[in-house]
Amino acid sequence: MNHVSSSTPNGAAAGAFLMLAASFAFAGTNVLQSVLPTPVEYGGFGMSSTGMAFWQYLIASVLALPLILRIGLHNLRTRRPLAHEIRAFVSALGVHVFVYGFASGVPIWQMVTLLATGPLFIILGSTVFLGERATIQRLAAALVGFVGAIIISGVGAEGLSWATLVPIVAAALWATTDVLTKYLAREESPETMTISLLVLTTPNHLLILLAVNAFAWLTPSLLPAGVATGFPFALPAGNALLLLLLLGALTAAAQYILSIAYKLADATYLQPFGDLKVPLSGLLGWLFLSQVPGVLFWPGTLLIVGASTFIFWTEAQQRQKFSPA
């Protein structure tokens, strides 16, 4: 690892672009994950949130089958099966915690924006466990992006409750997934990491789904409405089914793009670009759900975009400085 980053100049630029593409895909999944479990009387489709998460990743796995056939099953062998399983379980658990927040009534703005605590967890994990350098520029970009997300969320005006901590827990779980992704990317191909995650995550979603529904049957008053409602394997019909298929497709695309990005550049460098999914989620909610952002959305967005631009520019300058003449 050099003084600035383990990535090459071209790799860093490509990684930043791919992280932006992944942010678009994740923003789409955020919007769909908020719409499908919303009760019909509030404009949603009333789907069980745990059932939605299961079908989301099952569909993503099915869509990944052509990729499995293209690269060959023999290329999915790994010397670190336990790390892949832990990564898949933590990822699945993060999804269920995230949709639990929606079922608990946390507003979508707080749910999405409080995920911006993730870069702080990622920087900590990447520094402690992966030996990456947490430069002042990277820390500053992560903190500014987090401040921008908090401004967008309006938590100062709406107040915080115990349920608001749910997306922070989800952020910590997904940060663990990202650190493990970067760890595995040192030896594994993007195809191996993507398919292993999708294939292993689906059984973990099934286990979580069955456990949650069993818990709901034993103690129905302890779970919020929407987490485990009705038959957990019931598929929606009509437009809801089309949206569920789109959710699975976006999930597969986002994970594959993310794996390639982490192969090209450091996790601590890429994470400020991941904050862009916050304003992108707001814009998609505005365009497709008619959820007009508040006035604080725009200054918060400027901070997030500014943080991403800053870290991209400063590290490009540093790479040029330390590159051989």
Side-chain angles (χ1 to χ4, degrees):
M1 185 178 296
N2 62 25
H3 293 284
V4 179
S5 170
S6 60
S7 55
T8 64
N10 290 337
F17 175 79
L18 290 172
M19 198 67 171
L20 177 60
S23 294
F24 268 105
F26 281 125
T29 63
N30 287 336
V31 172
L32 292 173
Q33 284 175 324
S34 68
V35 171
L36 287 170
T38 299
V40 176
E41 56 268 29
Y42 295 107
F45 295 94
M47 189 177 183
S48 165
S49 62
T50 50
M52 178 195 68
F54 167 73
W55 285 111
Q56 172 187 351
Y57 279 87
L58 180 61
I59 292 169
S61 298
V62 171
L63 292 176
L65 285 177
L67 181 59
I68 296 177
L69 297 176
R70 180 174 67 83
I71 66 177
L73 292 176
H74 64 281
N75 290 322
L76 295 179
R77 293 180 186 143
T78 176
R79 292 182 296 174
R80 305 191 183 278
L82 181 60
H84 281 285
E85 167 55 26
I86 294 174
R87 174 173 171 254
F89 175 77
V90 173
S91 176
L93 187 60
V95 171
H96 285 274
V97 171
F98 186 63
V99 296
Y100 174 88
F102 283 122
S104 300
V106 182
I108 184 173
W109 303 113
Q110 289 188 351
M111 283 297 301
V112 175
T113 53
L114 287 177
L115 288 178
T117 55
L120 300 178
F121 292 114
I122 290 173
I123 287 176
L124 177 62
S126 297
T127 303
V128 174
F129 297 106
L130 302 182
E132 294 184 2
R133 286 193 59 188
T135 64
I136 294 177
Q137 292 90 340
R138 292 178 178 183
L139 287 172
L143 289 173
V144 171
F146 173 66
V147 170
I150 293 299
I151 290 175
I152 292 176
S153 72
V155 294
E158 298 182 15
L160 289 171
S161 65
W162 68 268
T164 315
L165 297 176
V166 172
I168 298 178
V169 175
L173 290 169
W174 281 333
T176 302
T177 303
D178 285 345
V179 172
L180 285 169
T181 297
K182 180 60 179 177
Y183 168 73
L184 289 168
R186 294 174 172 178
E187 298 182 4
E188 307 281 15
S189 68
E191 290 85 359
T192 297
M193 292 190 297
T194 301
I195 301 305
S196 66
L197 180 64
L198 293 175
V199 171
L200 291 173
T201 298
T202 301
N204 282 301
H205 275 297
L206 176 60
L207 290 175
I208 295 172
L209 170 66
L210 295 175
V212 168
N213 279 269
F215 187 73
W217 180 74
L218 293 173
T219 55
S221 62
L222 294 182
L223 288 180
V227 172
T229 56
F231 182 60
F233 298 103
L235 278 170
N239 291 335
L241 180 58
L242 294 178
L243 292 178
L244 183 61
L245 291 172
L246 177 60
L247 177 59
L250 287 175
T251 300
Q255 292 296 341
Y256 183 57
I257 295 171
L258 193 65
S259 296
I260 300 175
Y262 281 136
K263 191 77 173 179
L264 297 173
D266 284 351
T268 52
Y269 165 73
L270 290 174
Q271 283 318 299
F273 298 97
D275 282 342
L276 291 172
K277 63 179 172 285
V278 176
L280 288 174
S281 296
L283 289 174
L284 290 179
W286 187 3
L287 290 174
F288 296 105
L289 303 179
S290 300
Q291 297 180 356
V292 181
V295 293
L296 294 178
F297 175 83
W298 305 109
T301 298
L302 287 176
L303 284 177
I304 292 173
V305 173
S308 300
T309 304
F310 168 76
I311 191 62
F312 183 83
W313 180 80
T314 56
E315 296 216 358
Q317 295 296 312
Q318 289 294 320
R319 282 190 298 271
Q320 185 177 7
K321 178 181 178 180
F322 286 101
S323 62

